[in-house]
Amino acid sequence: KLGGAEPLVMVRSLALAGDDPVIMLDAPIPATRRALERAGLSVGDVELFEVNEAFAAVPLAWQKAIGADPQRLNVNGGACALGHPLGG
C-alpha cells in the first residue's frame, strides 16, 4: 500500500524476446513462455493477459500458441482498440 491505495496488479516476471524479422509478429510467444517460467507460473495461474500489439493477428497467434483462455485475453480491446503505445 502506498498512501492507502490498494495495488491493482503484481508484476512477478518479465521477459524480452526477439524473433525472425521477416515473420516478426510472434515474439510475444517466447517472451510469455520465458516470463511464466521465470515466475514459476502456468498460464492457468494468470487472471488476465494483455498482448499489446498493433496488429490483430498477433494476440490471436499468441492465444493459439500459449493456450490461454480467450476470455482472459485483451479484455479491454488491446492496442487495436486502445492505441499503440509507441504513438498511434
Side-chain angles (χ1 to χ4, degrees):
K1 289 184 183 182
L2 180 62
E6 293 286 334
L8 297 176
V9 299
M10 176 187 293
V11 177
R12 301 266 308 261
S13 178
L14 61 93
L16 301 175
D19 214 352
D20 183 336
V22 174
I23 298 170
M24 83 173 174
L25 299 176
D26 59 358
I29 297 166
T32 299
R33 289 182 176 137
R34 189 173 303 144
L36 289 170
E37 182 180 330
R38 287 179 181 173
L41 298 172
S42 71
V43 170
D45 295 324
V46 180
E47 187 175 336
L48 297 174
F49 291 97
E50 174 69 27
V51 178
N52 196 355
E53 282 290 338
F55 303 101
V58 175
L60 295 175
W62 176 91
Q63 189 276 323
K64 183 177 180 181
I66 297 297
D69 179 354
Q71 298 297 315
R72 298 185 303 154
L73 172 60
N74 289 358
V75 298
N76 293 309
C80 291
L82 302 174
H84 195 279
L86 297 180

